[in-house]
Amino acid sequence: MNAKKILVINGPNLNLLGLRQPEVYGSTTLAELEEHCRVHGATMGFEVDCRQSNHEGTIIDWLHETRGTSHGIILNAGAYSHTSVAIMDAIASVERPVIEVHLSNIHAREEFRHTSFVSKVAKGMICGLGTTGYMLAIDALVDMLEHEK
Ligand code: CA2
């Protein structure tokens, strides 16, 4: 691996960002969010690869791939965060820092959103700060990766 690389994975329904429920998830579209992530990473010399899928297995495949291709991962697994032991197991296998991000404050919402399987294995978690959470997660990963030897 030459260039320092961060993978941003957005899960189910996040392709609708900015298009529906702006009162909950904000008005920034997924394409705008991904561009902000790439630009923010680039200012610190990191390449940011952004992907979105509505499919659990695809997200798991991408997590497995990161073993040889990415130094750190930012994951908003959407509703799979609350249900998927399979994604949790995949994260536990990647041996790369994974930061969980949620746009909304999952603890201030319905009870079924209070549990996250991702949180059990993530390095850290940011929620409730909208798209700023992704920038903070990039900052945290860059700091971690620059100090790791
Ligand atoms: O707050 C978050 O980022 C969530 O991961 C978003 C998920 C939700 O199931 C989690 O509990 C918290 C839902 C993503 C749905 O995204 C939409 C965006 C715009 C319009 C409709 C859905």
Side-chain angles (χ1 to χ4, degrees):
M1 253 191 282
N2 293 323
K4 292 170 282 182
K5 205 164 166 186
I6 290 171
L7 177 63
V8 176
I9 302 176
N10 279 298
N13 296 307
L14 286 157
N15 52 310
L16 299 175
L17 260 190
L19 307 177
R20 308 254 203 293
Q21 293 180 260
E23 68 289 356
V24 183
Y25 298 116
S27 55
T28 304
T29 64
L30 180 65
E32 289 166 342
L33 167 62
E34 292 181 339
E35 183 59 12
H36 291 166
C37 288
R38 282 190 288 268
V39 168
H40 191 63
T43 61
M44 294 175 285
F46 275 68
E47 189 186 323
V48 180
D49 177 14
C50 299
R51 304 180 192 181
Q52 187 275 331
S53 177
N54 294 322
H55 305 281
E56 190 176 20
T58 302
I59 294 168
I60 291 167
D61 288 343
W62 287 342
L63 287 166
H64 291 170
E65 267 176 37
T66 62
R67 290 172 74 95
T69 59
S70 298
H71 294 83
I73 300 115
I74 294 167
L75 174 63
N76 182 349
Y80 286 144
S81 313
H82 317 303
T83 61
S84 180
V85 174
I87 289 178
M88 179 183 77
D89 287 346
I91 294 167
S93 79
V94 300
E95 293 167 351
R96 298 283 176 194
V98 176
I99 300 188
E100 176 182 16
V101 171
H102 294 283
L103 294 154
S104 62
N105 179 352
I106 57 174
H107 299 290
R109 301 184 65 191
E110 304 94 324
E111 189 140 5
F112 65 84
R113 296 187 204 272
H114 297 182
T115 297
S116 165
F117 287 99
V118 173
S119 290
K120 297 179 191 300
V121 287
K123 184 88 182 169
M125 195 271 243
I126 298 168
C127 76
L129 303 181
T131 55
T132 303
Y134 289 76
M135 307 310 138
L136 296 174
I138 291 172
D139 290 345
L141 270 183
V142 167
D143 190 58
M144 242 175 259
L145 295 170
E146 283 186 339
H147 292 96
E148 99 180 356
K149 278 284 163 279

